[in-house]
Amino acid sequence: MMDEILIQALSGLSRGMVLFVVASGLTLIFGTMRIANFAHGSFYMLAAFLTYSVATMVGDRTWGFLAALCLAPPIVAGVGALIEWGLLKRIATRPHQYQLILTYAITLIVADGIKMLWGSDYRTVARPAGLDGAITILDMPFPTYNAMLILVGVLIAVGLHLLLTRTRFGKTIRAAVADGEMIGALGVNVQRLFTGVFALGAGLAGLGGVLAAPVGSVSLGIDSSIIIESFAVIIIGGVGNVMGALIGAVLIGVVHAVGILFVPKLAIAFVFIALCAVLLIRPQGLLGRNT
Amino acid sequence: MLTCEAINTFYGPAHVLFDVDVKVGEGDMVCLIGRNGVGKSTCLKSIMGIAPVTTGQIRLDGTEISALPPYRIARAGIGYVPEDRRVFADLTVEENLEVAERHDGPWNRKAVYELFPALQEFRARRGGLLSGGQQQMLTIARTLVGNPRLLLIDEPTEGLSPLVVRTLEDMIRGLKAKGQTMLLAAQDLRFSLSVADVIYVLDRGRVAYCGDRAQASADIERIRPILSV
Ligand SMILES: Nc1ncnc2c1ncn2[C@@H]1O[C@H](COP(=O)(O)OP(=O)(O)OP(=O)(O)O)[C@@H](O)[C@H]1O
Ligand SMILES: [Mg+2]
């Protein structure tokens, strides 16, 4: 029984890692620009469909997946930069609800666009060769692909940590999270920084979409399920805090997966019970700061 | 170097600055004094573009800057030290300096560490964990590493212990001796009278008095009532 729980927890961890990759982008955008970007789930969904198309075009499942991994996140980052520069920037000085409405409108536009281009069928993406089997943990099989997801999640976490603590761009982002007006008065072009952060965040959502494509489904509607969970993650972890997003995502992934084992019908409820518990005990999130 | 002509600034419907004229000459130390809430901070924020003016002109070396965003004004050569310190609490002392550093003048991290040895000692500590005095030193240092030609400082000694106040006042005198052009907002007449080349007294958003140090010392009986009403 313990073994079963452990394997289930590992599987939850791998799902949590995908969630982390997506939510890290959302928390960076929310933290720096104070925009609750509903369109974040659309970037994820767009990348999943792009993965399907690239993989189909390339043919070979290994090269197809690798090509999608190289192409889809930058494409989605570019789309994000265009949206920020072309739309969000224009209404930056308006009250927040306008930005909410705009990002929500973008989710509708992207969803309909995807429906027009790809249709509303369910798509599947094959796992690359070598990652389609299982490894043995505690005498139990565990999908190799999910093990790879855990590894990639850790690598992204380390990469983002280094970006935020070792590069001037990253340090400037953290300064903007703390006080955007002040960093502007110190000579930083905050508008351009925002475009960069938005592109980075969109690219992370895109990376999540590519990684999830071979395990989840590629279908309309995955945008809204991921965005709800992503918001839960950043509320748990603390807005603007990437390491908080890691903890939040792992917590949600594991609670959900282990919950299914005991009370299948309430698995999703556990996630929101965890969310409410955090909100009651630490309203600013586990690693968030009082503002 | 800086000329503000008839600037008017609003916060929403609230009219805060009324036709304010302020001039700062190259190498000058200008003090802007006045009671609580007369608009000293607003005046500095207007120059910095953070509280943009509605009408009037602000020229830096002859170039109109009042319509520029704050980052362009900073790059044009104006440095701003806000009244509420606003260090980046999550960043270390070193990182606070690094994000503001611009290598086009004498100031860099090494030079400000010499100016404030306390900062060097705590360079790996998070800004939010410093004492009030250290935070004030950090905000000044952070602005200096941007190598501003004109330094705006808002009430740097507010709420600090007498010892720290002395240190900061000496530091400001040191900057003046090095030829740094400064516009300093203060409530404290004593310090202003001891260092300023020119003193402006604000009252309810208007310039109520303006004169050089010698004049101001002579007119002290005229200035006192404006500050104490
Ligand atoms: N963001 C704001 N919105 C609305 N009104 C403001 C704002 N900031 C300042 N004010 C008002 O503008 C007036 C001038 O404020 P300002 O901060 O410039 O004064 P000050 O001379 O710097 O005062 P202090 O000595 O307290 O720092 C005050 O009446 C204040 O209430
Ligand atoms: Mg003030």
Side-chain angles (χ1 to χ4, degrees):
Chain A
M1 185 60 196
M2 270 325 282
D3 297 357
E4 237 171 88
I5 295 178
L6 193 82
I7 288 290
Q8 190 67 10
L10 271 180
S11 147
L13 181 62
S14 67
R15 216 175 132 265
M17 283 305 189
V18 172
L19 188 54
F20 158 67
V21 173
V22 178
S24 64
L26 187 66
T27 207
L28 279 177
I29 292 172
F30 207 155
T32 32
M33 307 172 66
R34 315 281 152 175
I35 290 182
N37 176 32
F38 283 110
H40 206 67
S42 309
F43 297 145
Y44 169 87
M45 180 163 74
L46 180 60
F49 276 90
L50 283 173
T51 304
Y52 166 78
S53 287
V54 171
T56 313
M57 264 188 286
V58 173
D60 179 81
R61 58 191 175 136
T62 305
W63 290 113
F65 182 76
L66 284 176
L69 200 56
C70 298
L71 288 174
I75 291 175
V76 173
V79 171
L82 270 179
I83 287 177
E84 200 283 329
W85 179 81
L87 297 173
L88 287 171
K89 180 158 295 176
R90 318 277 146 186
I91 61 161
T93 54
R94 304 260 193 97
H96 271 317
Q97 53 269 37
Y98 287 89
Q99 294 165 15
L100 281 185
I101 294 168
L102 183 56
T103 64
Y104 186 66
I106 294 167
T107 66
L108 300 178
I109 293 167
V110 171
D112 272 355
I114 286 178
K115 204 171 179 178
M116 275 168 58
L117 288 171
W118 278 280
S120 39
D121 295 342
Y122 227 78
R123 315 274 181 175
T124 54
V125 173
R127 296 174 193 192
L131 294 177
D132 53 353
I135 53 173
T136 311
I137 297 176
L138 297 171
D139 292 332
M140 308 243 277
F142 186 72
T144 316
Y145 189 83
N146 292 53
M148 186 276 295
L149 286 180
I150 296 175
L151 195 70
V152 170
V154 171
L155 286 178
I156 297 291
V158 171
L160 280 176
H161 182 73
L162 291 178
L163 176 79
L164 291 172
T165 56
R166 299 286 159 84
T167 69
R168 182 151 177 174
F169 175 64
K171 290 171 193 178
T172 308
I173 290 176
R174 281 162 54 221
V177 169
D179 190 338
E181 185 180 80
M182 194 61 230
I183 194 75
L186 289 169
V188 170
N189 184 347
V190 179
Q191 298 274 318
R192 217 175 58 197
L193 181 75
F194 281 2
T195 309
V197 169
F198 202 83
L200 173 66
L204 285 165
L207 180 60
V210 177
L211 292 172
V215 272
S217 56
V218 179
S219 60
L220 292 166
I222 58 175
D223 53 346
S224 42
S225 48
I226 196 86
I227 193 70
I228 291 169
E229 285 190 314
S230 297
F231 273 121
V233 165
I234 72 173
I235 291 166
I236 290 177
V239 166
N241 192 307
V242 169
M243 289 308 126
L246 179 63
I247 295 172
V250 167
L251 194 72
I252 285 187
V254 173
V255 164
H256 184 259
V258 175
I260 278 187
L261 212 53
F262 293 101
V263 203
K265 284 209 176 109
L266 287 182
I268 193 74
F270 283 133
V271 169
F272 290 97
I273 291 168
L275 175 64
C276 292
V278 170
L279 277 181
L280 285 174
I281 301 162
R282 261 186 86 83
Q284 72 272 41
L286 293 176
L287 297 189
R289 315 214 143 254
N290 286 312
T291 40
Chain B
M1 177 180 270
L2 181 85
T3 321
C4 302
E5 251 172 46
I7 58 174
N8 285 273
T9 303
F10 292 74
Y11 289 113
H15 196 168
V16 175
L17 294 185
F18 299 82
D19 291 323
V20 169
D21 294 318
V22 172
K23 271 200 179 66
V24 184
E26 179 101 43
D28 277 357
M29 159 85 184
V30 177
C31 281
L32 198 59
I33 57 178
R35 283 168 293 124
N36 272 321
V38 294
K40 304 179 296 292
S41 300
T42 305
C43 185
L44 299 190
K45 286 178 186 166
S46 289
I47 295 169
M48 204 58 221
I50 293 171
V53 298
T54 309
T55 60
Q57 268 125 44
I58 303 177
R59 282 190 299 272
L60 181 68
D61 295 328
T63 315
E64 176 67 40
I65 58 165
S66 62
L68 298 179
Y71 85 93
R72 298 265 313 266
I73 294 173
R75 290 181 188 181
I78 302 186
Y80 171 59
V81 180
E83 63 186 323
D84 29 12
R85 311 209 234 281
R86 294 166 76 169
V87 299
F88 302 120
D90 270 343
L91 275 64
T92 63
V93 168
E94 179 92 3
E95 288 171 336
N96 265 277
L97 298 174
E98 194 184 339
V99 294
E101 199 167 31
R102 289 198 298 138
H103 305 273
D104 54 2
W107 292 106
N108 52 32
R109 269 176 271 175
K110 195 163 155 280
V112 293
Y113 282 144
E114 276 161 26
L115 187 64
F116 297 115
L119 292 182
Q120 168 130 43
E121 189 182 331
F122 296 121
R123 58 196 290 174
R125 186 170 290 191
R126 285 219 214 124
L129 300 178
L130 300 178
S131 71
Q134 291 160 348
Q135 288 191 352
Q136 186 63 63
M137 293 176 196
L138 179 56
T139 24
I140 294 172
R142 184 178 67 181
T143 304
L144 281 177
V145 293
N147 286 298
R149 284 181 295 140
L150 167 64
L151 186 57
L152 312 176
I153 313 183
D154 200 350
E155 298 199 41
T157 56
E158 173 92 334
L160 298 174
S161 72
L163 192 70
V164 180
V165 171
R166 276 267 303 283
T167 311
L168 290 169
E169 287 180 352
D170 288 347
M171 187 275 309
I172 290 169
R173 283 199 186 88
L175 287 179
K176 178 181 146 102
K178 281 187 181 144
Q180 175 73 53
T181 313
M182 278 180 277
L183 175 58
L184 180 109
Q187 287 194 31
D188 171 14
L189 186 60
R190 175 197 59 83
F191 178 64
S192 305
L193 277 179
S194 74
V195 290
D197 295 305
V198 180
I199 290 179
Y200 285 83
V201 185
L202 280 187
D203 188 23
R204 269 164 277 156
R206 294 172 208 274
V207 176
Y209 178 89
C210 161
D212 64 27
R213 180 169 34 175
Q215 255 173 316
S217 306
D219 290 338
I220 189 95
E221 293 315 318
R222 259 180 71 201
I223 295 173
R224 280 235 167 79
I226 312 177
L227 294 176
S228 61
V229 174

